[in-house]
């Protein structure tokens, strides 16, 4: 299939597909006229890439998943290298959650102090 068809079916742009190809994630054959010709299997690869990027993986993180699909697996996350990336990403996400929890606690504390201070120093108007 041509790049435009793959882009449409994958919900992305030809420019994005060329970018993935430049990074070695997507493979295209060249027709005699120089057009990119993609195998049907590249659709699954592009969808896997898009799914992983959408949840915060980087291009380097995506490589093991693509390799896993290319090895003939029905899913890109069943290979040992993919599992390692998933585990690492979970640790990263948990660290972000912990940091955000600390920020939330600090903001709640700051708000509580600000309200208490305001009630002491800003008398209410009587009407």
């Amino acid at each position: 299939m041509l790049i435009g068809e793959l882009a449409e079916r994958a919900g992305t742009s030809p420019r994005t597909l060329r970018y993935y190809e430049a990074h070695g994630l997507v493979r295209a054959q060249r027709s005699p006229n120089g057009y990119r010709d993609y195998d049907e299997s590249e659709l699954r690869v592009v969808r896997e890439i898009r799914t992983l990027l959408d949840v915060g993986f980087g291009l380097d993180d995506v490589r093991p998943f693509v390799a896993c699909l290319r090895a003939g697996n029905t899913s890109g996350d069943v290979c040992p290298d993919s599992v390692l990336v998933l585990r690492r990403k979970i640790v990263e996400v948990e660290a972000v959650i912990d940091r955000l929890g600390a920020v939330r606690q600090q903001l709640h504390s700051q708000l509580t102090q600000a309200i208490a201070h305001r009630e002491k120093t800003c008398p209410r108007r009587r009407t």
Side-chain angles (χ1 to χ4, degrees):
M1 83 185 84
L2 296 177
I3 194 168
E5 182 183 353
L6 178 59
E8 184 177 326
R9 290 177 63 191
T12 191
S13 68
R15 182 177 180 191
T16 298
L17 294 177
R18 287 189 294 272
Y19 179 76
Y20 295 162
E21 186 179 342
H23 287 279
L25 297 171
V26 175
R27 296 178 184 164
Q29 302 295 318
R30 291 290 183 157
S31 63
N33 61 5
Y35 289 174
R36 288 173 170 86
D37 185 25
Y38 295 93
D39 187 74
E40 185 71 25
S41 63
E42 292 304 300
L43 178 59
R44 193 173 84 184
V45 169
V46 173
R47 286 179 175 160
E48 182 86 1
I49 293 167
R50 301 288 300 159
T51 298
L52 292 167
L53 293 176
D54 286 348
V55 296
F57 286 84
L59 285 181
D60 287 336
D61 294 330
V62 169
R63 290 183 194 290
F65 296 87
V66 171
C68 192
L69 285 175
R70 292 203 190 288
N73 295 289
T74 57
S75 176
D77 58 5
V78 297
C79 296
D81 289 344
S82 301
V83 171
L84 288 174
V85 172
L86 288 169
R87 286 184 173 144
R88 191 188 79 241
K89 195 63 170 178
I90 288 169
V91 169
E92 290 175 12
V93 168
E94 287 174 348
V96 170
I97 290 169
D98 290 346
R99 274 194 310 251
L100 288 173
V103 168
R104 180 181 57 202
Q105 184 59 40
Q106 180 181 350
L107 291 172
H108 277 296
S109 176
Q110 191 173 352
L111 177 62
T112 300
Q113 290 174 4
I115 290 170
H117 179 73
R118 183 188 69 196
E119 288 175 356
K120 289 180 187 175
T121 60
C122 300
R124 290 187 177 176
R125 291 185 181 183
R126 296 185 186 188
T127 54

